[in-house]
Amino acid sequence: MSLSFRSRIVLVFSALFLGVQAVTLASVYWFSRENVIAQLGQNLAYAETTFTRMLMDRGERTAGEARILVADFGFRSTASQADPETVASALENLVYRIRARRAFYVDLEGRILADTAGTKQGRPFPFPEVLKSAEDEGRTVVFGVLDGRLSELAVVPVLAPLPIGWVGIAMDVDRGFTDQFKRLSPPGLDLALGERSATGFRVLASSLGAEHRTEVADWVERGMLSPGAPPIAVTTHRGSIIAVLRDLPAARGDQALSAVFQVDMVAALVPYRTLMYTAFGLSVAGVAVTLFGSLLLAEKLARPVRQLAADTEHLLAGPSEEPPPPHGKDELVRLAEILERAGHMAADMAELQQRDRRRRELVADVSHDLRTPLSALHGYLETLKVKADTLPPEESRRFVDVAMRQSEKLGRLAQELFELARLECEESLPQWEDFSIAELVQDILQKFQSQSRARGVDLRAEVAAGLPQVSADIGMIERVLANLLDNALRHTPAGGSVRIGLSRSDGRIVVTVADTGAGIPEEFLPTLFERDSPLSRRSHSPGGLGLILVGKMLSLHGCSITVDSTVGQGSIFRFELPIATPAG
């Protein structure tokens, strides 16, 4: 369906307005989303503060209880005497009173003297870095993985008055702690605690279900969350999630313990839905106003375009009283048709210029290519004239032979240039007829047998049996085969071979001319059949334009020619001819 110029203007303006409205709505959504993200980022910051306060308060309380224990004279005496059972009993009472999970007493050599779990006595303390820190600062509160469980460790030195050991208290950081944290946090906030390693992220405690824990681990493993980075939005099957990862102070330098805070963004966008609906309604009303306004504007724009088309038609049609009436077409279509006519005129002019350029190039080529044989011919004839009385008969005959060869070369070159000029100016078109390509090959083979024997080259034809006739210009195809054979014989050394092959493939006759000559370098193959071929400019000997003529003649037949060549091994030229259609 053809739309008028005015209708297209209306559509363009409407599309532009819709685009602007779409950008506006997207901007409103983006702005709302960014505000929500910023708000949720503040909630996450508050949650981090709450989490840190909960852990530090509990850690400080645990460390305070441990300091009370190590300040007891009886405990210090027992510890200095290295009495494991008594020390373990005192630690068990402390663990029971403060509801800790486990307690250790570590001697100055870093070995565990007493363990309330009764499993690590006599072994090195798993977190030796903490001992030095506790001795320097009076206490240390860190996190570590103990027996596969995340623990908060409070370590204090035992002084009498010099350090004689350390007491370490382990508090579980488990689902109970994360649920308590969730109750104290803004709605929708969840927490996952775990250990990062080269193999991934192992969740040790979380307020999330098992499926969502795997999801959090995947975020960290893929690098979507990293320590110290700002909060990011993550899309899941539950919706959009704002998440942030923060490192925990680890008890060992080779451990990376982290907390992932996340909050649901879908619920946070609910207050902004009214704004989005209002913006959408305003957009619909704006489209209606834009359609009406664009109709008025389109009419004002179309009127001068119509007049321009009519005036231009009047100029192209020649002088007349009235311009031709419109044919019921769109104004732009009429203008396009007029411009198309002008384009045809310009194309005709360009074609004339192109033919003129070809003629000038032909003159330049003739001048260049004929200079060498003419100079040689003139030189030998001048020598014969000057020294005719003094030259021996044998020398005179040699000069005459050379002059004859140059004359023949000149004639052949002139003929090739003439044929090329006719082909390029499209003054010589194929005269189509049906003929036997096999018979034509045999005739051409007979013409070149004497030349092949003189050069010591084996020339043969390999023709498949029962080949049908082809449809082509027999004169042009004969010239194509002659040029290819002449080129092959001139570049094949004595003892080599040249083969003409005829076969049938996919309804066409495939013609190949193969030789075992010098071959053609690969860089010359793409432009081998063109006038600007570097190979054709290397020598101006007879036949130098033969391959260019081959390409032109086959191009007029709608055929292409391909070459496979290997330097030092030979070349294979291949083209196809259509099979003649049976009459009737």
Side-chain angles (χ1 to χ4, degrees):
M1 187 175 90
S2 178
L3 296 177
S4 67
F5 181 45
R6 184 176 62 177
S7 299
R8 276 180 274 177
I9 291 178
V10 173
L11 289 178
V12 167
F13 276 93
S14 300
L16 288 175
F17 183 80
L18 287 175
V20 171
Q21 292 300 313
V23 172
T24 302
L25 290 175
S27 300
V28 170
Y29 175 78
W30 179 84
F31 180 75
S32 303
R33 180 185 174 89
E34 291 301 312
N35 280 345
V36 170
I37 291 176
Q39 178 184 347
L40 296 182
Q42 294 177 358
N43 291 347
L44 289 175
Y46 172 76
E48 291 181 41
T49 303
T50 302
F51 175 76
T52 303
R53 184 181 300 114
M54 287 179 59
L55 288 177
M56 291 300 103
D57 288 349
R58 188 174 74 163
E60 289 296 338
R61 288 196 302 270
T62 303
E65 294 290 342
R67 280 198 293 267
I68 293 175
L69 174 66
V70 301
D72 182 75
F73 177 78
F75 181 82
R76 286 182 292 170
S77 298
T78 304
S80 62
Q81 296 173 7
D83 184 356
E85 295 182 359
T86 306
V87 172
S89 177
L91 293 177
E92 288 175 357
N93 291 333
L94 175 62
V95 167
Y96 178 76
R97 186 173 72 254
I98 65 176
R99 297 182 180 181
R101 179 167 71 91
R102 195 169 183 178
F104 304 91
Y105 176 75
V106 184
D107 62 18
L108 292 177
E109 295 180 358
R111 291 192 305 272
I112 299 175
L113 182 65
D115 175 15
T116 58
T119 61
K120 293 187 179 296
Q121 290 92 338
R123 298 182 182 179
F125 187 59
F127 311 109
E129 301 171 12
V130 180
L131 303 179
K132 178 62 177 173
S133 175
E135 181 179 342
D136 294 340
E137 300 178 9
R139 59 100 181 91
T140 293
V141 178
V142 291
F143 298 88
V145 179
L146 190 61
D147 294 337
R149 298 165 64 179
L150 183 62
S151 302
E152 183 179 18
L153 299 172
V155 180
V156 298
V158 180
L159 305 176
L162 297 176
I164 61 174
W166 294 268
V167 169
I169 310 296
M171 305 286 290
D172 275 339
V173 184
D174 53 10
R175 180 62 182 263
F177 176 82
T178 58
D179 289 344
Q180 180 186 2
F181 165 76
K182 186 173 181 178
R183 289 192 296 270
L184 298 175
S185 301
L189 193 139
D190 283 290
L191 170 67
L193 303 169
E195 180 182 11
R196 288 184 293 111
S197 64
T199 59
F201 182 74
R202 182 166 62 107
V203 178
L204 300 173
S206 176
S207 61
L208 298 165
E211 176 184 357
H212 300 154
R213 292 185 183 189
T214 304
E215 196 174 60
V216 171
D218 182 61
W219 298 345
V220 179
E221 290 172 8
R222 289 191 293 164
M224 300 170 63
L225 299 175
S226 57
I232 65 167
V234 183
T235 301
T236 68
H237 65 279
R238 294 178 288 157
S240 294
I241 304 295
I242 303 297
V244 67
L245 183 143
R246 295 291 180 261
D247 278 341
L248 302 175
R252 290 172 51 180
D254 58 349
Q255 280 187 334
L257 304 177
S258 303
V260 177
F261 303 89
Q262 64 177 42
V263 62
D264 189 358
M265 194 172 66
V266 176
L269 281 172
V270 172
Y272 294 90
R273 289 179 181 172
T274 303
L275 176 62
M276 297 294 295
Y277 293 148
T278 303
F280 181 75
L282 293 175
S283 298
V284 173
V287 169
V289 174
T290 301
L291 285 174
F292 179 75
S294 59
L295 282 171
L296 299 178
L297 180 61
E299 179 60 29
K300 291 184 178 181
L301 291 175
R303 189 179 299 113
V305 173
R306 287 195 297 266
Q307 186 62 42
L308 174 63
D311 294 343
T312 308
E313 286 180 342
H314 177 68
L315 291 174
L316 290 177
S320 62
E321 295 181 359
E322 295 290 339
H327 300 285
K329 293 184 178 180
D330 167 60
E331 300 87 351
L332 288 183
V333 174
R334 291 171 56 199
L335 184 58
E337 290 176 350
I338 295 169
L339 293 176
E340 183 179 0
R341 290 164 59 187
H344 289 317
M345 296 173 61
D348 293 340
M349 183 62 68
E351 178 63 22
L352 291 175
Q353 293 175 350
Q354 178 71 7
R355 290 193 177 188
D356 183 64
R357 183 183 64 82
R358 289 177 179 174
R359 290 188 178 96
R360 290 198 303 269
E361 290 180 352
L362 179 60
V363 172
D365 289 341
V366 169
S367 174
H368 184 276
D369 293 336
L370 297 181
R371 185 179 298 116
T372 299
L374 279 174
S375 298
L377 180 61
H378 178 78
Y380 280 104
L381 291 177
E382 185 177 26
T383 302
L384 285 173
K385 178 181 178 181
V386 173
K387 299 182 178 181
D389 298 333
T390 59
L391 284 174
E394 295 80 4
E395 191 71 13
S396 298
R397 281 194 299 273
R398 187 177 68 83
F399 275 36
V400 171
D401 292 340
V402 173
M404 289 293 296
R405 286 197 299 271
Q406 293 298 325
S407 176
E408 293 173 358
K409 182 187 301 183
L410 185 61
R412 292 181 59 182
L413 186 56
Q415 179 63 25
E416 288 178 346
L417 288 172
F418 175 72
E419 291 181 359
L420 181 61
R422 293 183 60 193
L423 293 173
E424 288 187 337
C425 294
E426 298 181 358
E427 296 176 358
S428 179
L429 298 177
Q431 303 297 317
W432 298 90
E433 60 178 301
D434 299 343
F435 62 91
S436 172
I437 185 67
E439 293 180 2
L440 178 63
V441 167
Q442 292 298 332
D443 292 343
I444 295 174
L445 213 64
Q446 293 297 326
K447 296 179 182 179
F448 282 89
Q449 283 296 342
S450 60
Q451 180 180 344
S452 66
R453 284 193 294 268
R455 293 179 175 273
V457 177
D458 182 22
L459 176 62
R460 294 185 184 181
E462 298 174 351
V463 180
L467 290 180
Q469 291 186 330
V470 298
S471 179
D473 186 315
I474 187 170
M476 287 190 179
I477 299 304
E478 181 179 7
R479 186 58 187 274
V480 166
L481 292 173
N483 284 1
L484 292 176
L485 277 178
D486 180 70
N487 185 69
L489 289 172
R490 285 190 296 106
H491 292 89
T492 300
S497 64
V498 176
R499 298 286 185 270
I500 301 180
L502 295 178
S503 61
R504 183 171 181 172
S505 174
D506 296 331
R508 298 177 72 86
I509 300 299
V510 180
V511 183
T512 59
V513 177
D515 63 68
T516 59
I520 303 171
E522 184 177 356
E523 62 269 20
F524 296 145
L525 295 180
T527 59
L528 190 61
F529 302 96
E530 299 176 7
R531 175 179 285 276
D532 56 351
S533 171
L535 190 61
S536 69
R537 293 302 182 193
R538 296 177 65 187
S539 173
H540 298 287
S541 59
L545 299 176
L547 293 181
I548 300 177
L549 288 172
V550 167
K552 291 291 183 182
M553 291 179 179
L554 290 178
S555 177
L556 290 175
H557 282 77
C559 305
S560 62
I561 183 168
T562 60
V563 184
D564 295 325
S565 183
T566 303
V567 175
Q569 297 183 16
S571 306
I572 301 176
F573 293 79
R574 182 182 292 105
F575 64 92
E576 299 179 358
L577 293 175
I579 294 176
T581 304

